[in-house]
Amino acid sequence: MALKILVTGGTGYIGSHTVVELQQSGYEVIIVDDLSNSEKATVNNIEQITGIRPHFEQFDLTDRNKTHDFFKRNPEIAAIIHFAAAKAVGESVQMPLHYYRNNIVSLMNLLECQIEYQVPNIVFSSSCTVYGQPEVLPVTEQTPRLEPESPYGNTKRISEDILRDTIKANPGLKGIALRYFNPVGAHDSALIGELPRGVPGNLVPFITQTAAGIREELSVFGDDYDTPDGSAIRDFIHVVDLAKAHVVAINRLTGNGNKEAYEVFNLGTGNGVSVLELVHTFRKVTGVDLKFKIVGRRAGDIEKIWADTSYANEELGWKAEKTLEETLLSAWNWEKNIRGIQ
Ligand code: UD1
């Protein structure tokens, strides 16, 4: 019998790619999503890729009664992957209470239900944002976490602590926090990908929308950083590589292969790439003459960060495999598909 995995936020960007990889690895998936930042049609697209329709329920995990009711009706869940969260850094500065309620209360409701209904395993979506601007690069899992720059970042830090403390107090519970660097790209089928609402805040969706003619030109935020070309450096990881790491984390927890009850892993490629390098690579692989201009730095941005992935590589036996070229091409193919561009 296939193990059942609850994927919260499973119609979202990273969630949908993870659902595909889980199904293709033989897991049965139930998605819970409130569709506040994703589309129901994604369920159809997942089914088109895998041939299996994931179960889907729409509700808000901050609703304690609905969350309890869900677990009462679904007693046989082996593990949870908790993606459902708000993630816009700028918006979180404007609406801190929304971010704290949405991101923290949902996790607390899930953990409470895990204890009550004996669901032993959880994988949590964390972020490299917990490191702030580190003094030493690349960052390992031991790099100290710094005071977060935004309420969004703080929800990730607090959530990690809630998870760690709850696991410590409950011997039946095990969890893995995955700290993502910058997820980009889309599934090879171009049937699922990132679907930002409104003007994209993130770099790659803004680039693909500019290439598609939806945006006038890309603004590159800052060329006076202490980096080789002056633009900021990030670790851009293909979303499918990231999704595969979740399957490995689920295998580890459900197979009791974890070393500690609470573990943390960095998920990146290990390569730092500058914003300008990424822009030039996009132009080269797509042949699109992307318009861009250099403007001032964006408030709250850090200068440079990339991952030391050796712990994930050795302990999980997982490694990011896709090149930056493949990754950017997949993002462009997805954008072309949803815009009907040949
Ligand atoms: C941020 C968060 C990350 C979060 C992610 C999701 C931090 C440090 N990182 O990533 O935790 O998960 O958002 O939303 O808070 N850029 C441009 N022009 C643009 C857009 C971006 O030059 O139009 C630059 C940015 O200044 C930055 C780089 O591209 O240097 C990447 O930006 P972005 O894609 O927004 O991701 P982060 O800010 O790294």
Side-chain angles (χ1 to χ4, degrees):
M1 262 263 293
L3 289 181
K4 256 191 200 173
I5 312 295
L6 164 61
V7 181
T8 77
T11 45
Y13 174 43
I14 308 174
S16 57
H17 289 83
T18 301
V19 171
V20 166
E21 297 302 320
L22 284 168
Q23 289 184 324
Q24 290 179 337
S25 304
Y27 289 104
E28 186 178 336
V29 176
I30 310 181
I31 295 173
V32 169
D33 201 301
D34 67 359
L35 300 179
S36 59
N37 193 26
S38 60
E39 305 297 327
K40 176 80 190 291
T42 301
V43 176
N44 304 334
N45 298 338
I46 291 170
E47 184 181 8
Q48 218 178 313
I49 296 170
T50 64
I52 307 161
R53 192 169 183 82
H55 306 277
F56 174 83
E57 284 202 31
Q58 182 181 354
F59 70 91
D60 180 346
L61 291 155
T62 64
D63 186 324
R64 198 170 173 208
N65 290 337
K66 285 188 181 156
T67 308
H68 274 262
D69 174 65
F70 172 84
F71 281 94
K72 265 185 217 145
R73 287 185 287 105
N74 292 280
E76 68 292 24
I77 290 170
I80 300 170
I81 308 183
H82 182 40
F83 291 106
K87 62 167 185 178
V89 175
E91 185 186 59
S92 79
V93 177
Q94 307 302 318
M95 307 165 70
L97 284 179
H98 173 70
Y99 272 69
Y100 286 114
R101 178 184 303 281
N102 196 55
N103 294 5
I104 307 281
V105 174
S106 58
L107 174 67
M108 288 175 63
N109 285 342
L110 283 174
L111 288 169
E112 185 180 271
C113 287
Q114 286 193 260
I115 296 163
E116 185 157 342
Y117 305 98
Q118 280 147 34
V119 179
N121 304 305
I122 181 163
V123 174
F124 175 69
S125 294
S126 190
S127 166
C128 71
T129 194
V130 299
Y131 297 117
Q133 176 60 69
E135 277 171 25
V136 181
L137 287 165
V139 286
T140 73
E141 289 78 358
Q142 273 69 51
T143 298
R145 297 180 309 169
L146 298 179
E147 195 58 43
E149 290 279 344
S150 69
Y152 158 77
N154 208 20
T155 67
K156 292 298 174 191
R157 183 191 162 115
I158 294 168
S159 294
E160 284 191 357
D161 292 346
I162 291 172
L163 192 58
R164 181 201 58 205
D165 295 347
T166 309
I167 287 170
K168 199 171 169 191
N170 292 275
L173 278 188
K174 291 178 290 171
I176 294 179
L178 299 174
R179 292 179 180 155
Y180 312 149
F181 283 68
N182 286 55
V184 293
H187 195 262
D188 273 346
S189 63
L191 288 167
I192 53 173
E194 194 167 5
L195 260 185
R197 289 191 175 159
V199 182
N202 295 115
L203 179 63
V204 170
F206 201 100
I207 287 178
T208 55
Q209 287 199 7
T210 307
I214 299 160
R215 310 285 157 205
E216 189 65 28
E217 75 186 319
L218 169 74
S219 295
V220 170
F221 298 135
D223 70 345
D224 56 352
Y225 285 112
D226 182 19
T227 59
D229 65 21
S231 64
I233 292 179
R234 296 289 185 272
D235 184 337
F236 299 96
I237 175 168
H238 196 300
V239 67
V240 172
D241 278 333
L242 196 68
K244 287 181 173 160
H246 292 74
V247 178
V248 176
I250 287 292
N251 293 342
R252 184 176 176 91
L253 289 171
T254 57
N256 289 313
N258 54 303
K259 284 201 171 144
E260 312 278 344
Y262 172 64
E263 297 179 312
V264 177
F265 294 97
N266 282 343
L267 296 183
T269 65
N271 301 318
V273 171
S274 78
V275 172
L276 284 172
E277 249 177 287
L278 185 141
V279 167
H280 294 310
T281 308
F282 183 86
R283 292 169 75 147
K284 192 180 79 197
V285 294
T286 62
V288 177
D289 185 23
L290 185 84
K291 277 179 72 183
F292 71 94
K293 62 173 180 220
I294 310 283
V295 301
R297 295 180 180 190
R298 183 170 72 176
D301 270 348
I302 58 162
E303 184 168 87
K304 51 191 167 197
I305 189 164
W306 64 95
D308 180 328
T309 62
S310 43
Y311 188 57
N313 299 161
E314 285 155 25
E315 239 345 273
L316 297 178
W318 165 91
K319 203 174 186 322
E321 282 167 356
K322 308 260 193 189
T323 62
L324 182 65
E325 284 79 3
E326 286 173 286
T327 305
L328 295 177
L329 203 52
S330 74
W332 178 227
N333 286 338
W334 158 247
E335 188 75 52
K336 283 199 294 185
N337 189 31
I338 55 177
R339 308 294 167 196
I341 298 170
Q342 289 305 309

